[in-house]
Amino acid sequence: MAIILVRAASPGLSDAVRDIHHGSLQCSPSLLKRRAPPRMLCSLRYACLGLGLGLDPPRTSAVVSSEQKVYDVVLRQAALLKRQLRTPVIGVRPQDMEMPRSGLKEAYHRCGEICEEYAKTFYLGTLLMTEERRRAIWAIYVWCRRTDELVDGPNANYITPTALDRWEKRLEDLFAGRPYDMLDAALSDTISRFPIDIQPFRDMIEGMRSDLKKARYKNFDELYMYCYYVAGTVGLMSVPVMGIAPESKATTESVYSAALALGIANQLTNILRDVGEDARRGRVYLPQDELAQAGLSDEDIFSGVVTNRWRKFMKQQITRARMFFEEAERGVTELSQASRWPVWASLLLYRQILDEIEANDYNNFTKRAYVGKGKKLLALPVAYGKSLLLPWSLRNRQKKQGKQDDDEVRVDRK
């Protein structure tokens, strides 16, 4: 799942950078004291990420255009969840649709079977959720998979923009309670039960349109937007279903932002893992300006030779992906405890793919980095243990309160 985003880049951003070490960026205390929007304070590490990686800083206009667009969606989702509104269903209800005798139960069961077949580890984690949440997550997963298959599946060569337009119209009908088939019916029922907005679903379809017409990304700003479309959206779809822990002290916006960060991290990991596979399809999902600054080009990728320049470039890209994973971690702890395990499992396993790329000496041209079954099994109890932790916001508040109490004791002793 899934960052606090920059609302507007600071004119003196480079002056605010005080120290960079171990791949992380530290900003001056004076900047953090300003009354900036909350999303700005936490995301300076991303806005300044080029500086931390030894790259040119992003242009102000580019940062604002992509991240503001995404954060507007985040605000909309958070507001909907706060109000606990349910999307009104009009017209034909899912249960009125002509279906097998078992109706929606059978539809959800089929979604569960698909999830188990294609995402075994995640499916196992969902079994700890309440039945209603579990079924809803399965329905969302299946819709996302069907959407992705339009451009990556066996019939991808025949998909046109018109076909995606029809899929979006079908989505609108689904949200209006007019599902086309039993899998649609499961999702239509889900969005009638949870405060889920249509925008992330539309945005995922937009990501599929991008795949049809775009094979290069000139900078990370463009790539960030693509990652949001195809993966960050999943986090925004899922938060209303997974729920926020009642004891959490985090803002709703920050939980959605963390979900977004996890989606971005997962997609960046996919991209780094699949460099060779994408190159054989004529695609390069890497920032062109950063390639150029590293002394690399598309031809270097197509030739598939691991050089020191490539290793250095990959180290920078992996550092960025790990920063998004770090941002996501705090948000996972804020979810309802019964929903945390599958998310933690996904986070830990996907992050290990980055370790495997390093273990392969950054050869993601001819070697596919993957996490073996043994490591997957070991990750599950670790993920379960992390799912039992108190929300980070609560632990942080208790830590601050403890420090304050200690300070008061010292003053009294004096």
Side-chain angles (χ1 to χ4, degrees):
M1 272 181 25
I3 44 191
I4 307 299
L5 304 174
V6 176
R7 182 174 189 177
S10 171
L13 205 51
S14 60
D15 297 332
V17 180
R18 184 184 64 186
D19 184 32
I20 299 172
H21 59 92
H22 302 304
S24 65
L25 182 148
Q26 305 294 323
C27 293
S28 68
S30 62
L31 178 65
L32 296 180
K33 289 179 182 177
R34 296 178 190 172
R35 290 184 175 275
R39 55 184 175 277
M40 184 174 185
L41 300 184
C42 199
S43 68
L44 286 170
R45 61 196 309 188
Y46 301 114
C48 304
L49 191 54
L51 298 173
L53 299 181
L55 305 169
D56 289 341
R59 294 180 179 178
T60 301
S61 59
V63 173
V64 172
S65 61
S66 276
E67 295 194 350
Q68 182 61 56
K69 285 180 182 178
V70 174
Y71 196 71
D72 285 344
V73 180
V74 168
L75 289 179
R76 180 173 171 178
Q77 310 312 302
L80 186 59
L81 186 59
K82 285 178 181 177
R83 295 193 304 268
Q84 288 293 299
L85 295 178
R86 295 190 175 191
T87 306
V89 179
I90 59 175
V92 180
R93 295 279 299 183
Q95 55 265 38
D96 295 332
M97 182 181 154
E98 186 177 341
M99 297 175 67
R101 282 185 303 172
S102 47
L104 280 171
K105 183 177 180 180
E106 177 63 25
Y108 278 118
H109 179 70
R110 180 57 188 145
C111 288
E113 289 180 333
I114 295 172
C115 185
E116 182 180 17
E117 180 179 358
Y118 293 101
K120 291 181 174 60
T121 302
F122 182 77
Y123 171 81
L124 181 62
T126 64
L127 297 181
L128 289 182
M129 296 180 177
T130 63
E131 182 179 1
E132 186 178 34
R133 287 177 175 173
R134 175 170 65 242
R135 298 192 313 169
I137 287 296
W138 291 345
I140 291 172
Y141 171 84
V142 168
W143 185 88
C144 292
R145 180 168 184 83
R146 295 172 87 186
T147 303
D148 183 67
E149 290 258 318
L150 293 175
V151 295
D152 282 337
N155 298 315
N157 291 336
Y158 305 102
I159 294 298
T160 65
T162 301
L164 290 177
D165 290 343
R166 288 198 295 268
W167 186 250
E168 185 167 4
K169 175 60 171 64
R170 177 169 172 164
L171 171 70
E172 292 169 355
D173 286 342
L174 184 160
F175 263 78
R178 298 188 294 272
Y180 286 39
D181 60 22
M182 66 185 303
L183 299 180
D184 281 354
L187 182 58
S188 190
D189 183 65
T190 290
I191 58 97
S192 74
R193 296 173 183 272
F194 295 92
I196 300 173
D197 187 55
I198 194 173
Q199 192 59 47
F201 294 82
R202 283 177 172 153
D203 287 343
M204 178 172 278
I205 296 174
E206 188 60 33
M208 303 305 115
R209 290 193 181 98
S210 178
D211 267 334
L212 294 183
K213 61 187 179 183
K214 196 175 181 72
R216 300 291 186 279
Y217 294 83
K218 63 183 180 181
N219 52 40
F220 182 69
D221 184 67
E222 284 193 359
L223 186 62
Y224 170 86
M225 198 68 188
Y226 172 75
C227 289
Y228 159 70
Y229 280 147
V230 301
T233 49
V234 181
L236 303 190
M237 298 172 190
S238 303
V239 169
V241 173
M242 294 190 167
I244 298 176
E247 68 272 23
S248 171
K249 303 301 180 183
T251 64
T252 306
E253 290 85 352
S254 69
V255 177
Y256 268 104
S257 294
L260 174 62
L262 181 55
I264 300 291
N266 286 346
Q267 186 58 27
L268 289 175
T269 301
N270 284 339
I271 288 169
L272 299 180
R273 178 194 62 195
D274 299 337
V275 167
E277 181 181 327
D278 290 331
R280 288 187 284 278
R281 298 162 57 200
R283 295 181 173 276
V284 178
Y285 291 98
L286 297 168
Q288 293 289 308
D289 60 343
E290 295 178 17
L291 281 171
Q293 290 178 43
L296 298 166
S297 67
D298 289 353
E299 293 307 314
D300 293 297
I301 295 174
F302 295 143
S303 65
V305 177
V306 178
T307 63
N308 286 334
R309 284 182 177 178
W310 178 252
R311 292 185 183 94
K312 182 178 180 182
F313 173 78
M314 282 302 302
K315 288 177 183 178
Q316 294 171 343
Q317 301 304 308
I318 288 174
T319 295
R320 171 184 280 146
R322 282 179 173 150
M323 290 174 72
F324 279 99
F325 277 122
E326 289 171 10
E327 185 66 34
E329 278 197 14
R330 293 181 179 179
V332 176
T333 68
E334 310 296 339
L335 295 174
S336 173
Q337 185 174 324
S339 302
R340 293 176 202 159
W341 191 24
V343 184
W344 267 117
S346 172
L347 190 156
L348 295 178
L349 290 173
Y350 251 85
R351 189 161 55 189
Q352 285 186 47
I353 293 174
L354 299 175
D355 300 336
E356 297 301 324
I357 294 174
E358 293 174 330
N360 289 339
D361 192 29
Y362 305 99
N363 180 6
N364 43 4
F365 299 120
T366 59
K367 293 183 179 181
R368 182 180 174 86
Y370 68 95
V371 180
K373 290 183 178 180
K375 290 184 178 179
K376 284 184 177 180
L377 290 175
L378 289 174
L380 290 178
V382 174
Y384 183 71
K386 287 181 175 292
S387 72
L388 300 179
L389 295 174
L390 289 173
W392 182 88
S393 61
L394 185 60
R395 283 180 282 139
N396 191 49
R397 175 173 289 195
Q398 290 176 346
K399 182 179 179 181
K400 288 181 178 178
Q401 184 61 49
K403 185 178 183 300
Q404 183 178 340
D405 292 342
D406 289 342
D407 292 340
E408 290 175 355
V409 169
R410 291 191 189 96
V411 171
D412 290 340
R413 287 176 178 173
K414 291 179 179 180

